[in-house]
Amino acid sequence: MSISVLLTRLAIAFFTLFILTRLMGRKEISQMTFFNFVSAISIGTLGASLAIDPTLSVRNGLIALAVWSAFTILMGLLDIKSRNVRKTVEGEPIIIIRNGKILENEMRKTRLDTDELNLLLRKKNVFSVGDVDYAIFETDGTLSVLKKQGKRPATKEDVHASYHAMHSSPTSSIVIQDGKVNHNNLESLQWSLEKLEEKLSANGLNALEDVFYAEVIEDGSLYVDTYNDEVH
């Protein structure tokens, strides 16, 4: 392929992608659902092939881009018109914390573990699961969080405290995660296993095996979440 042909194909691919992305709208970027993600990758791959693949003619490359973009636009229109189509293509938001209770079955559906959950919460300036009333995993992979009544927004001091807690202090320190005792955090808290069991007993739990997640929050109290998904 000569330089002039390559430059011509690059220019055609660039302006074609520019026009098609403008036609498809901002949703491809602003609300990156699984379908949007696959669509964007496919269009980018077709555009790259049009630009540099000599085995693909310009005509066929343009047809492939146009048809794929038309499918994407059509799915977007059906998505707007039909809730059933929207549910099939994008899925539905999933509640993973309800009334302060982690729903383990819903967590498994979203392929989230407790480390990822805490990461998403920290991005929302929430540094303790015990502060959360509701958390909803959205179709674009973000987490919407409703704090419990009376919980103030986090400040810079809270961020520092949370970071320090993850290393040494008792502030929002995880002591049971995914049903397993975190002995390192227990040592940092200067808690024995017996003390943890006493705290759990005070919360009406007599067996460590019943606990899915537990953390010591800022005021020294223990937030406990059991394996039972039922919320009363």
Side-chain angles (χ1 to χ4, degrees):
M1 184 187 300
S2 66
I3 296 296
S4 60
V5 172
L6 176 61
L7 292 176
T8 300
R9 292 178 68 109
L10 285 170
I12 292 173
F14 176 83
F15 287 107
T16 301
L17 286 174
F18 177 77
I19 293 170
L20 291 176
T21 51
R22 293 293 293 175
L23 288 174
M24 286 186 290
R26 300 177 181 177
K27 184 178 179 181
E28 293 298 307
I29 298 175
S30 64
Q31 299 179 17
M32 186 64 75
T33 63
F34 179 76
F35 174 77
N36 299 137
F37 177 72
V38 172
S39 176
I41 289 178
S42 299
I43 289 173
T45 302
L46 290 172
S49 297
L50 171 60
I52 62 174
D53 186 357
T55 63
L56 178 67
S57 69
V58 173
R59 184 196 65 180
N60 289 343
L62 290 174
I63 291 174
L65 276 173
V67 172
W68 190 274
S69 299
F71 283 149
T72 302
I73 294 171
L74 176 61
M75 291 301 297
L77 293 174
L78 292 175
D79 179 275
I80 294 173
K81 296 291 184 180
S82 171
R83 174 174 171 77
N84 289 332
V85 172
R86 184 163 59 250
K87 180 179 177 181
T88 302
V89 173
E90 299 183 359
E92 289 187 306
I94 297 176
I95 298 174
I96 56 177
I97 298 179
R98 179 189 289 120
N99 296 331
K101 174 75 177 69
I102 299 175
L103 306 181
E104 296 85 29
N105 289 337
E106 304 306 307
M107 290 272 287
R108 283 191 285 272
K109 290 179 184 178
T110 60
R111 305 295 192 272
L112 278 178
D113 58 40
T114 51
D115 283 330
E116 292 168 325
L117 174 60
N118 276 299
L119 171 63
L120 292 172
L121 288 174
R122 288 195 295 273
K123 288 183 177 181
K124 293 293 183 178
N125 291 330
V126 178
F127 300 102
S128 172
V129 177
D131 291 345
V132 179
D133 192 12
Y134 275 81
I136 302 172
F137 193 64
E138 305 290 357
T139 57
D140 61 356
T142 60
L143 192 69
S144 297
V145 180
L146 176 65
K147 289 184 178 182
K148 290 180 179 177
Q149 189 173 6
K151 295 295 181 180
R152 59 183 173 83
T155 64
K156 290 182 179 179
E157 289 75 17
D158 295 325
V159 176
H160 176 75
S162 175
Y163 177 81
H164 185 60
M166 293 169 62
H167 295 81
S168 61
S169 79
T171 305
S172 186
S173 184
I174 301 171
V175 291
I176 298 178
Q177 186 172 19
D178 300 324
K180 298 178 181 178
V181 176
N182 189 320
H183 292 282
N184 290 333
N185 283 353
L186 278 181
E187 291 179 6
S188 297
L189 291 166
Q190 296 183 344
W191 279 25
S192 64
L193 189 60
E194 289 74 18
K195 182 174 180 178
L196 175 59
E197 291 174 337
E198 289 175 4
K199 291 283 187 179
L200 291 174
S201 179
N203 282 272
L205 295 166
N206 297 318
L208 287 170
E209 294 76 16
D210 295 335
V211 180
F212 172 71
Y213 181 92
E215 66 179 12
V216 179
I217 56 181
E218 187 174 0
D219 60 4
S221 60
L222 189 66
Y223 168 81
V224 181
D225 185 273
T226 63
Y227 275 105
N228 185 3
D229 274 347
E230 294 296 327
V231 178
H232 302 285

